[in-house]
Amino acid sequence: MNDLAFRKQLQINPHQLDEKTLAYLEQYPEQKKVVKRVRNFDAQIKEALNIEVPEGLHARILLNQSYQDAKANSSMDESNDNVGLKHKGSAGKVIHFWNAEPTVSWTGLSAMAASLMIVAVSITLWQAPAELKQLNGSDMVAHILDHIAEDPTLMTEIKRPTTEADVQALFATVGASLNQPIERMSYAGECLVEGQKGLHIVIQDEQGPVTVIVMPGQQIKAMQSFAASGYHGELLPVKGGVVAIVANSMEQVALAQMRFFKAVRFA
Amino acid sequence: MQDKHRFFEQLVSAYSKDLYRYAYWLCKQSTVAEDLVQETFTRAWKAIDNLKDEKAAKAWLITILRRENARMYEKYQPQLLELEASIVADDYHNEPDEKFEKQQLHQAIMALPIEYKEPLILQIMWGYSGEEIAIQLDLKLATVNTRLFRARQQLKVLLTATTSKKSQYNTSFDRGQTK
């Protein structure tokens, strides 16, 4: 190997040196500085290639996949059941009331989340029973945050019904059923929010625990996002009640929302 | 596959960021890059049952992304490079050297022809060997090696050109200050 071949080999891959190159380096140890220089240049290229990725990309991909899934399932349902079309039409109005987050990226995510809700959960507020009580959204948020603060140990406690029948029974108390286990659920139990019996769930996420509270008998007009007391969250209208999801970031909320509604159906 | 939802989530966690970066360097536009990644995963999800070997997922995703990029490229060709280059050029006398060098390298990679850029990304960012790049891009190993060699050479040439431009600018700026 001569100097030209050595330098060419380095430019092809400075990190994988073949036997000939190694032998050349042994013969001319002063050339190691050339190897070092080319490797440094590669490190610079690697750093330049490593551009910043938009925040929430991961969550948006998963929500999109859930949406596509739900849309496909919905199409199948619609072909068999005309009532499904009615639900979809009425739920579509909900989007107009959606309180979008101020950032552009989350607007898209939120819209997707809204679509997911529309299709997967079949929101039917207009069909809600007359006895459901209309609550102010901000009051509801305050109550939920107070409730979470009451017992912070629930965030880390692992306590949930052990059998599938017990889990189903628990969810049935709020008019819901599970078609599959909720991923990463560490806690599930009954709770009281301002005297109202509900369901309290904690989902463990890489960025920390996420609290989900189902409040039957409550009602809001549309999905609402909020940020308060260092938490981010959403209030989601479902048939016969409201689901609140509270976490440290909107990305966590979006992922938890996906995991929750992938598994839970409201009758 | 036991649980395809979970497997899909794992794929998204493992590869979405690097696929976004790959897409960005191919199409040179962040919004288009995200669309490409979304479309890649949408197609991947639809065909996930066809993925027999989980170890092949990485190469499979890159193949989908490249096809989507080719499809999108046929529809329109964004021309943002000159604008971005001019913005950097106007600013470089105010930038610290390190930041300037990174920006110049960014622009040099942008300007690199795609046939040189792709093997370089696969090698440096994805850790592919020459043989793996040859399979992924459907090229001969000798061709891959030539392109990797030329990619680094061209980057050096582009960087040398911009660095000497900066030094000329600084010299004339300093002369102007001392007058």
Side-chain angles (χ1 to χ4, degrees), chain A residues 229-240:
Chain A
S229 308
Y231 289 107
H232 293 265
E234 284 177 344
L235 298 176
L236 307 155
V238 293
K239 190 170 185 180

Side-chain angles (χ1 to χ4, degrees), chain B residues 23-37:
Chain B
Y24 174 82
W25 290 112
L26 288 186
C27 69
K28 303 173 182 177
Q29 225 183 332
S30 53
T31 48
V32 180
E34 179 160 347
D35 286 348
L36 274 174
V37 177

Side-chain angles (χ1 to χ4, degrees), chain A residues 7-26:
Chain A
R7 284 170 189 269
K8 189 177 177 187
Q9 191 55 43
L10 281 185
Q11 296 295 326
I12 291 169
N13 191 343
H15 296 280
Q16 279 184 352
L17 307 180
D18 59 17
E19 284 180 10
K20 283 181 186 172
T21 314
L22 290 171
Y24 181 84
L25 274 174
E26 208 164 301

Side-chain angles (χ1 to χ4, degrees), chain A residues 121-198:
Chain A
V121 192
S122 298
I123 300 166
T124 52
L125 282 176
W126 57 281
Q127 287 186 330
E131 65 268 22
L132 288 183
K133 187 183 168 191
Q134 182 74 42
L135 276 189
N136 176 299
S138 56
D139 285 348
M140 205 178 284
V141 170
H143 291 163
I144 290 160
L145 294 179
D146 286 347
H147 174 69
I148 290 171
E150 274 171 25
D151 192 355
T153 60
L154 297 184
M155 296 280 203
T156 50
E157 193 175 358
I158 297 177
K159 187 183 170 189
R160 56 194 176 223
T162 46
T163 67
E164 192 189 334
D166 288 344
V167 178
Q168 291 289 10
L170 179 64
F171 276 79
T173 61
V174 293
S177 62
L178 284 172
N179 54 27
Q180 66 179 67
I182 298 174
E183 291 170 37
R184 304 185 189 200
M185 183 174 75
S186 58
Y187 176 87
E190 287 183 346
C191 69
L192 285 174
V193 183
E194 292 294 308
Q196 179 74 48
K197 199 173 178 184

Side-chain angles (χ1 to χ4, degrees), chain A residues 51-119:
Chain A
I51 53 156
E52 207 171 307
V53 175
E55 196 187 338
L57 175 70
H58 178 266
R60 285 195 291 279
I61 293 167
L62 293 179
L63 276 173
N64 188 36
Q65 176 255 322
S66 290
Y67 171 63
Q68 297 292 339
D69 238 14
K71 200 167 73 172
N73 291 339
S74 173
S75 305
M76 283 168 66
D77 290 346
E78 281 168 23
S79 63
N80 297 325
D81 183 3
N82 286 334
V83 178
L85 283 170
K86 236 162 123 186
H87 288 179
K88 194 176 174 186
S90 66
K93 291 175 188 170
V94 173
I95 290 175
H96 296 297
F97 299 99
W98 166 242
N99 297 331
E101 283 287 293
T103 57
V104 174
S105 61
W106 280 107
T107 307
L109 180 58
S110 303
M112 228 181 304
S115 307
L116 173 67
M117 286 293 301
I118 290 159
V119 180

